[in-house]
Each structure stands twice: as structure tokens, then as C-alpha cells.
Amino acid sequence: MIVDLRSDTVTKPTAGMLEAMFSAKVGDDVFGEDETVIKLEERLAEIFGMEAGLFCPSGTMTNQIAIKCFTQPMDEVICDELSHVYRYEGGGIAFNSGASVRLLHGNRGRLSSEMIEPHINPADIHYPHTSLIVLENTVNRGGGSCYTIDDIEPIYHLCRLKKLRLHLDGARIFNALVETGDAPKDYGRLFDSMSVCLSKGLGAPAGSVLLGSLETIQKAKRIRKVLGGGMRQVGYLAAAGIYALDNHIERLRLDHYHAKVISDVLTGLPFVASVLTVETNIVIFKLTDDIEADSFTERMAAKGILCSKFGHQSIRFVTHLDVNETMIHHTADVLKNLARTL
Ligand SMILES: *Cc1c(COP(=O)(O)O)cnc(C)c1O
């Protein structure tokens, strides 16, 4: 048995999802003629109380488009040091937008208005012009930590006051929503734009949607074209996204439960120095100094359990659609056995 806990991106389409993809009605989306893409964009915009949506190949592209929409070269973007837009998008903020980044050290990747305010530059020609704040929910490197709407509200007010734009990297926003119980429509009220990934916990093979005002999405469409992200009969992929919205949101709770089961097992083991409290579908823990992270992942892989090294002495497990209860029990057994043989 192989249990792939490296990422929630490794899921394969289910039979039902493939069926939905096969029977999708498609057209040329660059001509605005793919009705399935339009349906997906409208559906997500409606869910989050935004005016419009734009289907893109990846979450990196939706984030980078949003940053390009809201900044000029010489501007500055404020985000947490753990954020995906900074760490995992290949330096795209500098390359695509010519903007600098002010990195803050938040609470497991979460920022507050108090943390942000002192880092907003005054209008002085010496300083880059602060124009955009980017938040991430849930925070991948924070171990799936989430913001509630109450956490975000003061940041929104600060942005209004200081005339800053606010973008959400919502790659795992549905994981946050099933935990917090917040109303998705509040996101449309608080954010200028947000990115939603269909290829993470929702289980679609590819695709992310950028949401924002009609004006923002119009501009975003030009930027998507420039980046080479205008796709043609892409309704086949959008159909997978619609199927995921219909069928794979509520079940995220199960992934969160599975992550808790694994973290409970880890907490008692001798080779585990600490475990970040599980909030959603990500478990990050630190190994004690007597075992190398590479040696740990190799030993696990030899037993069929795949996981990721995640920084110095840290390991990440991510639960998802293709991990069932039997696999979780098997993972727990392998971990306990490893503790006996080390
Ligand atoms: C996965 C992910 C993205 C988007 O990644 P792509 O692989 O480009 O789709 C963006 N933000 C976060 C936090 C992610 O985990």
C-alpha cells in the first residue's frame, strides 16, 4: 500500500469527476465562448460575493496576476515570510511586477493589523510605495493555520484607511471555511481579490480561479494573456472544478480529522520534538536531533508512506481525497513501529 501524504495536489480525478469532464460543453475560452468555464467563474464569484472570476492554469498564476493588477514597479507588497507568493512563486513578484516585498513574521503565517501598520511606508521618495497586502488562508507553511473573518476585519479597515489593496491567497480557502464556519460572502466584502485553487483539497487535476471586481478581472484577463495563460477548450478542466464544488467540500472535514489522528500519534513518539497544533489538513512536526529528516523520509518511503521534508528537521504530512481511513491507520502503525526500531 502506498500512502502519498506529500501534498494534497497528488489526487487523481474520481470516476464521477472524469464523467463530468467527458460530458462538458466547451468552446474557445479566449473568445469567451466556453460555457463551462463561464459557469465555474460565475459560481465561485457568487459563492464569495465577488463580481467576477477568471479561470487560470495555476494558483501561482492567479496570485501573480493579482499582484500585477494592484502594483506598479517600485511599489512594495507586505506579506508574511512564510507566504507562498514570496517563497514558492520563483521570485515572481520581482520578475512580473517589479515590486519589492516587506516580509513580516506573523503567528504561524497569520498577520494582524498591529503587525502590518508600522511597516506601511510613509509618502517619502526614499521609500518604496506600499500598495498591497497579501494574506494566505489557510497558511501552508504555518501547518494549515487559518484566519477567521474576525481576524481579517481589522486588516481590511487598515487597508481602507491607508488606501492599500488586499489580496487573499485562498489556495485552501475551503479548508479554512469548513473549520471556521465563516460565511464565504464576507470574503467578497473584505478582499479586493482572491485566488481559489481547485487542484488542492478539492481534487481537480488543475486550475485556480481569481475573483475580484469586474474592473479587476478585465485587467486580469489581459495579464493572463500576456503570461500565456489564455486557454481554449478548457471547459473540460472547469467541469472538474464544478464537480469538486458540488461533491468535495464537505468531505474536507474528514481530511482534517485524519490529520488530527496522525498528529495525536506523533505527539507521543520519542523521535518527535514538537508538533504544530493541527487546524486543517496539514501536519508539520519537528524531529529530535538524533534522526535526520532525510533518513526519516527514506525510512517512511521504504514502508510505503510518502511525506515531505519541510525545512530544517521538519516534516510535513498532508491529508486529502485519496487518503482513506485504512491508509491513516497504516500510517499510524508505521510511525509506531519506527519508534520501536530507532
Ligand atoms: C499550492 C498553492 C498555491 C498555488 O500553487 P500552484 O501549484 O501554482 O497551483 C498558492 N498558494 C498556496 C498557499 C498553495 O499551497
Side-chain angles (χ1 to χ4, degrees), residues 58-60 63 84 89 136 138 140 169 171-172 197 199-200 208:
S58 72
T60 297
N63 282 333
H84 194 280
E89 299 187 7
E136 188 173 310
T138 66
N140 173 21
D169 177 354
R172 296 188 179 81
C197 287
S199 57
K200 295 278 165 76
S208 291

Side-chain angles (χ1 to χ4, degrees), residues 12-79:
K12 308 231 170 77
T14 61
M17 183 178 277
L18 280 174
E19 184 75 35
M21 293 171 76
F22 269 124
S23 49
K25 292 207 176 74
V26 299
D28 189 323
D29 184 51
V30 174
F31 294 172
E33 291 173 3
D34 191 304
E35 60 183 279
T36 309
V37 171
I38 294 169
K39 206 168 128 190
L40 172 66
E41 290 169 344
E42 287 179 350
R43 169 97 176 261
L44 274 166
E46 164 69 23
I47 289 173
F48 288 100
M50 291 280 196
E51 282 177 5
L54 187 67
F55 187 68
C56 294
S58 72
T60 297
M61 191 180 282
T62 43
N63 282 333
Q64 290 296 319
I65 289 174
I67 293 165
K68 182 88 184 145
C69 274
F70 296 136
T71 60
Q72 293 293 323
M74 303 182 284
D75 280 2
E76 187 155 88
V77 177
I78 295 180
C79 61

Side-chain angles (χ1 to χ4, degrees), residues 48-315:
F48 288 100
M50 291 280 196
E51 282 177 5
L54 187 67
F55 187 68
C56 294
S58 72
T60 297
M61 191 180 282
T62 43
N63 282 333
Q64 290 296 319
I65 289 174
I67 293 165
K68 182 88 184 145
C69 274
F70 296 136
T71 60
Q72 293 293 323
M74 303 182 284
D75 280 2
E76 187 155 88
V77 177
I78 295 180
C79 61
D80 188 273
E81 62 186 358
L82 300 182
S83 59
H84 194 280
V85 292
Y86 173 69
R87 280 192 175 243
Y88 296 121
E89 299 187 7
I93 297 179
F95 184 70
N96 295 313
S97 298
S100 61
V101 181
R102 185 76 145 250
L103 292 178
L104 306 188
H105 180 78
N107 167 18
R108 290 178 64 175
R110 285 169 300 211
L111 302 177
S112 66
S113 57
E114 291 79 12
M115 291 174 196
I116 295 168
E117 187 158 14
H119 299 277
I120 299 170
N121 290 331
D124 174 319
I125 58 161
H126 292 89
Y127 303 123
H129 172 239
T130 310
S131 55
L132 175 68
I133 314 281
V134 177
L135 307 181
E136 188 173 310
N137 201 14
T138 66
V139 186
N140 173 21
R141 270 199 88 90
S145 45
C146 25
Y147 286 94
T148 63
I149 284 294
D150 290 345
D151 299 330
I152 299 167
E153 198 94 35
I155 301 176
Y156 159 78
H157 287 292
L158 179 66
C159 289
R160 293 298 291 263
L161 187 71
K162 303 283 186 180
K163 298 192 166 46
L164 307 177
R165 301 294 198 141
L166 186 58
H167 171 70
L168 178 74
D169 177 354
R172 296 188 179 81
I173 187 60
F174 286 106
N175 293 87
L177 287 171
V178 303
E179 273 316 299
T180 60
D182 283 332
K185 284 208 165 41
D186 279 330
Y187 280 84
R189 183 170 61 78
L190 300 181
F191 287 92
D192 292 289
S193 61
M194 68 186 284
S195 158
V196 179
C197 287
L198 301 159
S199 57
K200 295 278 165 76
L202 292 183
S208 291
V209 176
L210 180 67
L211 303 172
S213 68
L214 278 169
E215 196 189 342
T216 298
I217 294 302
Q218 201 50 44
K219 191 171 173 188
K221 210 172 263 184
R222 283 188 68 86
I223 300 168
R224 183 184 69 176
K225 195 78 187 94
V226 169
L227 296 176
M231 298 184 285
R232 305 296 178 171
Q233 286 71 29
V234 73
Y236 294 115
L237 284 179
I242 293 170
Y243 181 88
L245 293 175
D246 287 335
N247 296 283
H248 295 166
I249 294 178
E250 273 307 309
R251 65 154 306 287
L252 291 171
R253 290 178 203 286
L254 185 64
D255 296 342
H256 299 179
Y257 170 70
H258 286 157
K260 286 213 170 69
V261 171
I262 292 183
S263 85
D264 286 349
V265 170
L266 286 168
T267 303
L269 298 178
F271 57 79
V272 175
S274 59
V275 188
L276 280 182
T277 306
V278 167
E279 296 191 20
T280 51
N281 69 325
I282 299 176
V283 186
I284 293 180
F285 68 98
K286 256 199 156 48
L287 294 163
T288 51
D289 287 335
D290 48 345
I291 177 164
E292 290 286 330
D294 285 326
S295 150
F296 177 84
T297 55
E298 279 161 28
R299 280 160 179 264
M300 293 296 283
K303 301 285 179 199
I305 315 283
L306 309 182
C307 53
S308 312
K309 190 177 149 184
F310 217 59
H312 180 68
Q313 285 299 83
S314 286
I315 301 291

